Amino acid sequence: MKILIVNAGSSSLKYQVMDMTDESTLAKGLIERIGIPGSCLKQTVGGEKYMIELPMNDHIEASKQMIKALTDPDHGVIKSMDDISAVGHRVVQGGETFTTSTLIDEACIEAIKSNIPLAPLHNPANLMGIKACLQVMPDKPMVAVFDTSFHQTMPPQAYLYGFPIEYYERLRVRRYGFHGTSHRYVSKRGAQFLGKDMRDLRIITCHLGNGSSICAVDKGISVDTSMGLTPLEGVLMGTRSGTVDPAALQFIMKSDNIDIDEMLEILNKKSGFLGVSGVSSDMRDVEKAAEEGNKHAQVALDMLVRGIKKYIAAYAAIMGGVDVIVFTAGIGENSPELREAVLSGMEFMGISIDREKNRVRGKETDISAENSRVKLLVIPTNEELVIARDTKELVSELA
Ligand code: ADP
C-alpha cells in the first residue's frame, strides 16, 4: 500500500509518498510560493533532486503539479495515481472535536472549519490542501491527522487556565498542545527501543525545533504539555517568546503605543532566540555566536536550557517520577551541547548523561550513563510516518 502524505501551509505544500510494505519514503516534495510570483516545486526521489518553476495560483494547481511530478516518467515514483491507496493530511488544530485521526468526510471538514477560530493561520491552509486534493483526486479516501489530538487525554487541571471558567465553557479557551504526532511517535519508539511496554513508563519527550514543546507521557498517554491554546506558550523558541507574564504586554503596549496585533507579532516572530540574542532564530547561529563571546546569545541558550530543566522537573513531579527522557527534532536530535547542558546537574533526579555516547546527531541512541536511573534517549522524529500509519489503519478498516 502506498500513501500520499500532505502538509499544506498558506503558500506551501509539502508532500511525501510512503510505501507501507516497508514504511520507506519513495518521494519527498515541497511546493513553495503558491499564489505568489516565483512558485516552484522541488521533489527528491532516491537522492535525485528535481525542480521546476512555474506559476501556481492556488492549492488546486499545486496539487495537480504534485500529481504530475509524482507520475512523471523520468522523475516520478508511480505510474499513475491508481498506485496511491489513500491520502493523509496534517491538520494543526482539532480542538476538542478530534481525539484521534479521522476519515475525511463532509462532517469532518465542517468540524475542521469550526476550529478555525482556534488556529486562524493554520486550519484554513490545511483545509485548502484537503479541498484541493479532494478536487483533483475525488475517489481517494483521505484521513486527517491532528497535531492536537494526542493531548486530548490531558486532565482538566492540566488543560485549564486560571481564567473565569466561562472562558473555557463559552470560548473553549484551554491548553490544546501541539506536536502531538511527534510526541506520540517518539514516546512509543523510545519504549520500543528500550524493549519496554509504554504502559509501564513515565516518559518526558522534548521536541526542540524552531517551535519547541515538552510533553509528559504517562503510561502511553499525554498528561501535560508546554504549548497551550496556541504554540506560543512554553519554552523559548526560534522566534517565539514562550511563556511571559501577560501583564508585561500591557506595560509594553502602553509605553510604546502599540496595539495587540503588533504585540503578538513581536511575541511570535521577533522574540525567542532571535529577539534575545539579536543574532538569529537558528540554534546553530546562536551557538556559534555564544562560542565567540556574544553574551546575549549565551543568555538565550541558558534561558532555553533552564526552561527545559523546569519542565522536566515539573513533569516528573506530576507523574511521581520519570523513567525515560527523549530528545527529538532539529535541536533535540542535533545539539549534543544543548542536551548535555539540560541534563547536567540533574543527578539528584537519577539523571546522568554519558558525554561520549551523547556525541551523536540524528540517530536513535541511548545517551544515559551506566548508573543513570532515568534512560536518556535521542529519537529522530517522524511525523509523516505517524500520518501514513494512521491513514493506512483507517483506510484498511474501510475495506
Ligand atoms: P521545525 O520546528 O521548523 O520543524 P526543526 O525541527 O527542523 O524545525 O529544527 C530547526 C532547529 O534545529 C534550528 O534552530 C536549527 O538551528 C536546529 N538544528 C539543526 N541542525 C542542528 C545542529 N547540527 N546543531 C544545532 N542545532 C541544529
Side-chain angles (χ1 to χ4, degrees), residues 209-211 281-284 287 329-331 334-335 361:
N210 282 320
S281 64
D282 193 292
M283 175 73 168
R284 284 163 290 199
E287 279 184 336
I331 298 172
N334 294 302
S335 178
R361 293 183 202 274

Side-chain angles (χ1 to χ4, degrees), residues 1-297:
M1 181 189 270
K2 294 189 181 78
I3 306 267
L4 171 65
I5 303 126
V6 172
N7 180 356
S10 56
S11 66
S12 71
L13 194 149
K14 282 190 210 153
Y15 62 90
Q16 251 189 57
V17 173
M18 283 193 147
D19 184 347
M20 298 312 284
T21 44
D22 59 358
E23 295 190 333
S24 60
T25 298
L26 302 179
K28 266 190 195 186
L30 170 63
I31 303 174
E32 287 177 298
R33 303 182 66 85
I34 300 170
I36 308 172
S39 343
C40 70
L41 177 151
K42 293 174 197 157
Q43 181 169 285
T44 313
V45 175
E48 199 187 306
K49 291 196 172 114
Y50 164 64
M51 181 180 151
I52 46 161
E53 265 186 57
L54 79 171
M56 287 177 263
N57 287 326
D58 55 26
H59 285 69
I60 297 174
E61 281 181 39
S63 306
K64 286 182 183 161
Q65 290 304 328
M66 166 183 72
I67 293 175
K68 210 166 158 212
L70 288 171
T71 53
D72 186 279
D74 297 324
H75 308 286
V77 279
I78 46 174
K79 278 209 191 71
S80 77
M81 287 309 280
D82 292 344
D83 293 351
I84 299 286
S85 304
V87 185
H89 291 269
R90 177 186 179 208
V91 181
V92 167
Q93 179 55 276
E96 292 185 328
T97 333
F98 297 102
T99 55
T100 56
S101 303
T102 312
L103 276 167
I104 295 176
D105 55 14
E106 269 309 312
C108 171
I109 290 178
E110 282 310 310
I112 297 173
K113 260 193 213 159
S114 71
N115 283 309
I116 286 178
L118 294 173
L121 297 179
H122 293 104
N123 273 28
N126 300 152
L127 264 177
M128 275 196 288
I130 292 174
K131 287 188 173 163
C133 287
L134 282 170
Q135 183 152 340
V136 297
M137 297 172 261
D139 301 329
K140 290 286 169 229
M142 300 200 188
V143 167
V145 179
F146 302 91
D147 279 9
T148 49
S149 62
F150 181 60
H151 301 300
Q152 278 297 304
T153 45
M154 284 188 289
Q157 60 270 34
Y159 70 68
L160 283 178
Y161 291 115
F163 298 121
I165 195 72
E166 70 133 342
Y167 291 113
Y168 169 63
E169 289 174 345
R170 187 164 55 86
L171 301 173
R172 289 288 172 257
V173 173
R174 52 160 285 175
R175 175 182 314 287
Y176 289 96
F178 298 88
H179 296 137
T181 44
S182 179
H183 291 297
R184 189 173 132 207
Y185 174 78
V186 299
S187 55
K188 191 170 168 198
R189 185 74 206 123
Q192 278 171 348
F193 182 88
L194 296 168
K196 297 238 166 98
D197 191 322
M198 293 276 282
R199 284 166 296 190
D200 300 327
L201 295 173
R202 297 158 298 186
I203 307 177
I204 296 173
T205 48
C206 306
H207 178 111
L208 311 171
N210 282 320
S212 299
S213 68
I214 327 277
C215 181
V217 185
D218 196 7
K219 303 183 187 74
I221 66 168
S222 169
V223 293
D224 211 338
T225 191
S226 59
M227 281 180 169
L229 173 73
T230 76
L232 184 55
E233 195 180 348
V235 294
L236 193 81
M237 306 181 213
T239 60
R240 293 181 207 136
S241 61
T243 303
V244 295
D245 179 350
L249 310 189
Q250 187 199 34
F251 186 86
I252 296 170
M253 286 161 68
K254 276 192 171 169
S255 63
D256 285 7
N257 194 22
I258 56 175
D259 65 14
I260 190 69
D261 290 339
E262 204 175 330
M263 189 70 246
L264 276 169
E265 176 87 1
I266 293 168
L267 292 170
N268 274 306
K269 306 251 173 78
K270 297 180 182 163
S271 300
F273 273 167
L274 177 67
V276 176
S277 74
V279 175
S280 164
S281 64
D282 193 292
M283 175 73 168
R284 284 163 290 199
D285 300 336
V286 180
E287 279 184 336
K288 187 160 170 282
E291 263 167 44
E292 289 165 2
N294 183 320
K295 289 207 171 64
H296 289 152

